[in-house]
Amino acid sequence: ETGVTQTPRHLVMGMTNKKSLKCEQHLGHNAMYWYKQSAKKPLELMFVYNFKEQTENNSVPSRFSPECPNSSHLFLHLHTLQPEDSALYLCASSPHAGENTEAFFGQGTRLTVV
Amino acid sequence: GNSVTQMEGPVTLSEEAFLTINCTYTATGYPSLFWYVQYPGEGLQLLLKATKADDKGSNKGFEATYRKETTSFHLEKGSVQVSDSAVYFCALRGGNTGKLIFGQGTTLQVKP
């Protein structure tokens, strides 16, 4: 248990569906992150939020829409995804985005797009 | 920019064998270095870290030393167990952006 909780753990969705991934942390951290982990590819940083403000969008397609209503919660809204978007989506948090501290990860949401 | 390079896997060892997983990095400034472990079906867990040159991080029998002269942070364990089978990621954070950058991961399989 790292203090970062992701729901759901597994999600199967069609290409025309709209769904959301949820992440919450109760570590008092101010930075939250979305990563994508695909088979045989390095971990890809998608988005960074620091004090609820988005500070990084790593050229992510607009069919992925993040939302950070407060420092404890982070969402990833999904719509009109493609099969190649199937992956493990990992949420992480850290005290601040600009510091050299470790990040704490959730267990991930395994997404399958059919 | 910053980058991390890990040795290619998979690494297959017998129980009680010695483990080394090589990791080298490129970074500006003075990054912090990390090893994360990912067990099957799970997220990433921090295994150990080092925040400055010559620091040694250690946890659960694993060790890694921050070597600035060789820009390396190799992971070692003297006697692996079947339960150590997982994917290991070397990572750095620092430089100008504070981004957490990962290597490609090394799969370790330990056989009884």
Side-chain angles (χ1 to χ4, degrees), chain A residues 16-35:
Chain A
T16 57
N17 290 158
K18 289 185 180 180
K19 296 286 185 185
S20 296
L21 310 185
K22 181 181 177 182
C23 175
E24 60 182 305
Q25 56 90 8
H26 300 287
L27 300 170
H29 292 168
N30 295 302
M32 296 187 78
Y33 313 81
W34 281 116
Y35 282 84

Side-chain angles (χ1 to χ4, degrees), chain B residues 17-71:
Chain B
F18 184 86
L19 168 71
T20 300
I21 300 178
N22 290 338
C23 171
T24 57
Y25 68 90
T26 303
T28 55
Y30 302 93
S32 293
L33 301 175
F34 309 93
W35 277 101
Y36 282 84
V37 58
Q38 185 176 32
Y39 298 102
E42 301 293 325
L44 274 67
Q45 300 175 27
L46 179 68
L47 181 60
L48 53 83
K49 67 178 181 180
T51 58
K52 60 183 186 297
D54 300 324
D55 267 2
K56 178 187 282 189
S58 61
N59 185 26
K60 298 181 182 180
F62 291 89
E63 293 183 340
T65 301
Y66 189 158
R67 302 281 187 203
K68 194 165 177 62
E69 64 276 13
T70 54
T71 62

